Amino acid sequence: MSEKKNPVTAAAEKAVEKVQKAMRTGNEIPGAPGPEAVPVAEPTEPREPLPPKPDQRGPDTYSPTGQATGVPQDRVAQDGAYLTTAQGARLHDTDHSLKAGPRGPVLLQDHHLREKITHFDHERIPERVVHARGAAAHGVFRGYGSAAGITKAGFLAEGVETPVYVRFSTVLGSRGSADTVRDTRGFATKFYTQEGVFDLVGNNIPVFFIQDAIKFPDIIHAGKPHPDREIPQAQSAHDTFWDFVTLHTEATHHTLWNMSDRGIPRSYRMMEGFGVHTFRLVNAEGATTLVKFHWKPRLGVHSLVWEEAQLTGGVDPDFHRRDLADAIEAGAYPEWELGVQTFPDTGDHMFEGIDLLDPTKIVPEELAPVRPIGLMTLDANPSNYFAETEQVAFHPGHLVPGIDVTDDPLLHGRLFSYLDTQISRLGGPNFAQLPINRTHAPVNDMLRDGMHQTAVHRGVAPYRPNSADGGCPFLAGADTGAYIEVPAEVPASRKVREAPATFDDHFSQPRLFWLSMTPVEREHTIAAYTFELGKCWETGIKERALRVLANIDPELCSRVATGLGLPAPEATVPLADVAPSPALSQVGQEWPTDGRVIGIVTDGADLDAVRTVRGEILDAGMVPLVIAPAGGKLGLDGDPVTVQRTFTTARSVEFDAVLVAAAPAPAPDAYGARDAKVDDAAAVATAIDPRVLLLVSEAFRHGKAIGAWGNGPAVLEAAGLPAGAAGVATGEPAAVLRTVSQALGAHRAWERFGPAV
């Protein structure tokens, strides 16, 4: 008899097989705006609306009261071949207002004009105060069953598959800001379980700026643009932010994470997620366990370097949302394991001297390992950004049996704030009836009326107890799936506005994080502090920030002080004696390369090798993009190769690795007046298109893998790349690709980043 496979391993293998299958069927060149090629001439033959692209789907079709309707998704979208009013009347003209003669005044009776303009005037809803800029995707979560001993939540049982919708976001910026700013990222997951909706509303950083929600308006007001000038947008590099966080030193831990590489993720697909708070789980016997939730990306945790983030903000401010959508369209479905750290539910809520109710503290994984309990795969893009990504409404109070909250004061404030926010943003209390928010469990809540009520309720007695409606709805018990709060003891005390003494330690965990970083990660953190504080105007704020850094580490403080041209102060508290946590570092492991983007530079020579390498990249689950002097196709006399990027449109920040298959001569547009990236002198001196040299030199400076064959090594030499540099390969195409692919597993050639001097 064969040995029974561990459910965690079996689920992971099943997921990998699913992803690999998807990659074989995904779009090889993601990014097309529609499902069909666009003709040159305007279509005139009436036809039904085009279907969504294969990578897209909308919310599952449930009624406002949680009943599966069985209606195909395309039947809840706009339908019909002809333009109509909102009431379905067909229109013969939508380009001209109804006027009293061709040159006469517009008539008030033009109902189509009024309907069209009125709806346009009201298209926008208030954006989120925080997390306004986001991107999202549909997916599925599959429970491993390994959480059965600690929670009765049905969606975590072995093999149970639950639809999810996940929204990633930045915190500080407006909807129109850039993706790659240095900021905290939101990681919010809506589970459509059979017991109701469960929202796990977290961040990519496991700690928060503040310990009590009453200070949330303060930290956000401090981080947002200055109210007099409305600048800077989506940044913390300004006086008011640093004024607040240096006066409230409980923010030190989160700020240090933000100044590390964690503040500029490479991709949403390569970003951890954390529930931040400590939650309480309840099992079938009523026993409780305290937990912290973790999302672990299958591709590993990777970041941009600061120059990449700055360049990308100008070259492609939509970099993260495009990366997520393109990966899904290409079949490289991103995956995360959901895990929990578990702690005994003791009355003091302490673990190894760490206060579990303090949201500015972590528990190192070396003290409490993360136990995997399920796998999430995002496998479809939304079909409408506004209806889904913008209108999705999360709330930490959306809980299911088996999951409860603790007495974290930040969490308690969020339980009020999120609900209040949704009512304001979405026009009333019926936001749960929007298709993206609809539960997949039956609803009989006796809530009535209100703005945007789309359910047509029946009965005469929306109250209980009642007899007029036969007594319905009835109360449920624990044996019939009722949600029952844990009857936790509330300590007898007096009403105070205070925090426990265990909340007073603001520096030991920042020091733990700092000591856990590798030398290159520390250098990036020093550079981030120097840049951010260098943007501040007030010297007093900079000096105060240096006092905070002195309490973390003298090297960190002195190097930032040097950059600011200020003296480094002494620590005001003893430096904490803490053991590093290697799990906090992003450097030093090998990761899958699924969905990695590889640029292939060619001028049309040796296309056979380009075709072969391109096919091998696709077979490996990565995305090749061919870069040539001009758009169109190469090799029209045989098997043509489509050009996805030109020397004008390509920039190194888009690629995880670069392959150079030729030494292209300067293209016809290679002069500074046409393209500012061109160095006219370099074009003459090297006889190589200077934009290719810039592409290669930037990729090298950012630690990316680079390969070359044929005449390609001449480009590397002209770009000044040192011979034998780490992560650089030359030779035959197949061998070059193998070396580059292996280097991609480490994300960057970290050896290129020299030590501090």
Side-chain angles (χ1 to χ4, degrees), residues 331-565:
Y333 298 150
E335 292 184 316
W336 291 261
E337 272 196 316
L338 179 63
V340 289
Q341 289 179 296
T342 61
F343 320 101
D345 190 359
T346 56
D348 61 0
H349 300 97
M350 300 290 292
F351 180 80
E352 298 289 340
I354 300 169
D355 192 330
L356 298 176
L357 299 186
D358 183 350
T360 69
K361 303 293 194 300
I362 65 166
V363 177
E365 294 184 29
E366 290 77 14
L367 296 179
V370 176
R371 177 197 305 184
I373 61 174
L375 183 75
M376 179 173 71
T377 304
L378 299 185
D379 57 8
N381 287 310
S383 56
N384 184 279
Y385 182 92
F386 178 82
E388 300 170 71
T389 306
E390 187 63 15
Q391 291 195 132
V392 66
F394 296 96
H395 176 30
H398 291 164
L399 302 165
V400 292
I403 303 177
D404 203 348
V405 300
T406 57
D407 291 338
D408 179 335
L410 177 63
L411 176 57
H412 283 198
R414 294 179 71 201
L415 292 171
F416 167 79
S417 178
Y418 277 69
L419 180 60
D420 191 46
T421 295
Q422 308 308 350
I423 292 173
S424 173
R425 288 189 62 247
L426 300 171
N430 292 312
F431 62 85
Q433 295 183 16
L434 293 166
I436 192 62
N437 296 322
R438 290 177 183 173
T439 180
H440 293 191
V443 173
N444 193 347
D445 55 18
M446 295 193 302
L447 304 176
R448 292 294 184 267
D449 308 335
M451 293 183 67
H452 311 303
Q453 175 62 258
T454 56
V456 182
H457 295 299
R458 294 175 293 179
V460 298
Y463 55 85
R464 68 169 319 281
N466 75 74
S467 59
D469 277 346
C472 186
F474 299 90
L475 296 177
D479 58 337
T480 50
Y483 183 87
I484 301 174
E485 289 80 2
V486 174
E489 291 288 336
V490 178
S493 187
R494 55 190 173 88
K495 291 187 290 186
V496 296
R497 291 189 183 273
E498 298 176 4
T502 49
F503 278 39
D504 291 341
D505 175 12
H506 299 164
F507 299 112
S508 65
Q509 290 223 328
R511 179 160 175 77
L512 181 152
F513 183 80
W514 169 259
L515 294 178
S516 302
M517 296 296 98
T518 60
V520 67
E521 290 172 302
R522 293 186 189 183
E523 290 297 325
H524 291 168
T525 304
I526 291 167
Y529 271 106
T530 305
F531 176 89
E532 296 258 327
L533 292 170
K535 287 284 190 176
C536 293
W537 176 269
E538 298 292 346
T539 301
I541 292 175
K542 301 176 189 179
E543 291 177 345
R544 193 190 310 140
L546 290 174
R547 293 180 188 175
V548 172
L549 297 184
N551 291 334
I552 300 174
D553 188 83
E555 179 192 10
L556 171 61
C557 179
S558 65
R559 289 188 176 275
V560 174
T562 298
L564 298 177

Side-chain angles (χ1 to χ4, degrees), residues 80 133 179 219 235 250 362 436 441 455 501 516 583 587 616 634 705 712:
R133 181 171 181 82
D179 280 350
I219 178 58
Q235 296 181 51
E250 68 196 63
I362 65 166
I436 192 62
S516 302
V587 177
E616 291 175 354
L634 302 173

Side-chain angles (χ1 to χ4, degrees), residues 125-136:
I125 63 175
E127 72 174 30
R128 291 165 168 87
V129 177
V130 288
H131 299 278
R133 181 171 181 82

Side-chain angles (χ1 to χ4, degrees), residues 220-246:
I220 297 304
H221 288 166
K224 284 286 189 176
H226 291 203
D228 54 350
R229 300 188 180 187
E230 188 63 12
I231 56 175
Q233 177 60 245
Q235 296 181 51
S236 56
H238 55 91
D239 287 88
T240 59
F241 173 82
W242 288 98
D243 185 32
F244 180 85
V245 300
T246 55

